[in-house]
Amino acid sequence: MSGVECAGLALAVLPLAIEAAKSYKSGVDTIRDVLSSSRRDNELEDFYHELWMEMFLLDRQLRDVVHALPFLTEDRKASLLSGENLSQWTIESDVIEALQVYFNSETDYHAFMVIMGKIVQLLAQLIKDSTNHVDQKEM
């Protein structure tokens, strides 16, 4: 085969090679998208699992605090744990007094209230965000 024939054959095959490369790239992009989607799904699943664990631990700790609060009846403690009226933590004088006695310092009491307020705010934002799948009932 002469050089001209080889060049002609190469030029004839070149469009096929270009199309094959495009298809290969498209296939690689599809695989990359699937893998990144799978990776994202795994990371999201890990996030929800960790969130659930943290919520469980927070619930356990809050239950321990509420059960240890002095001066409050069992019915009052049950009302605090029900979560139906969060404002009772901040405006009800008997709850405030019990928390202040429990924490034994104004600094610790205020730190607790600020942290709990921030947690409630962040959870509310998480529930309102339509891009995730967190239901208020799960909190």
Side-chain angles (χ1 to χ4, degrees), residues 21-94:
K22 285 181 185 176
S23 295
Y24 175 78
K25 181 186 179 312
S26 175
V28 169
D29 288 344
T30 301
I31 291 171
R32 187 178 300 132
D33 290 346
V34 167
L35 290 177
S36 86
S37 175
S38 175
R39 187 177 313 121
R40 183 195 68 236
D41 290 347
N42 287 340
E43 289 174 4
L44 194 56
E45 185 177 335
D46 290 345
F47 167 77
Y48 285 127
H49 178 73
E50 289 177 27
L51 177 63
W52 184 88
M53 290 297 295
E54 291 298 328
M55 292 300 300
F56 175 80
L57 293 173
L58 177 63
D59 179 67
R60 299 291 349 139
Q61 291 173 340
L62 283 176
R63 287 181 183 282
D64 290 346
V65 168
V66 169
H67 288 302
L69 289 176
F71 318 126
L72 300 180
T73 66
E74 292 304 313
D75 287 341
R76 187 73 165 119
K77 291 176 183 181
S79 172
L80 286 171
L81 291 173
S82 74
E84 292 173 8
N85 182 6
L86 292 179
S87 66
Q88 64 185 331
W89 285 82
T90 58
I91 62 172
E92 303 283 335
S93 62
D94 61 333

Side-chain angles (χ1 to χ4, degrees), residues 67-134:
H67 288 302
L69 289 176
F71 318 126
L72 300 180
T73 66
E74 292 304 313
D75 287 341
R76 187 73 165 119
K77 291 176 183 181
S79 172
L80 286 171
L81 291 173
S82 74
E84 292 173 8
N85 182 6
L86 292 179
S87 66
Q88 64 185 331
W89 285 82
T90 58
I91 62 172
E92 303 283 335
S93 62
D94 61 333
V95 176
I96 293 170
E97 181 183 358
L99 285 167
Q100 288 172 332
V101 168
Y102 174 81
F103 284 108
N104 200 27
S105 89
E106 198 66 25
T107 304
D108 290 346
Y109 164 73
H110 281 294
F112 173 79
M113 296 306 288
V114 167
I115 291 168
M116 291 309 301
K118 189 64 174 173
I119 289 172
V120 168
Q121 179 186 19
L122 291 171
L123 290 174
Q125 288 175 349
L126 190 60
I127 291 168
K128 288 178 185 175
D129 186 352
S130 62
T131 62
N132 64 51
H133 305 288
V134 178

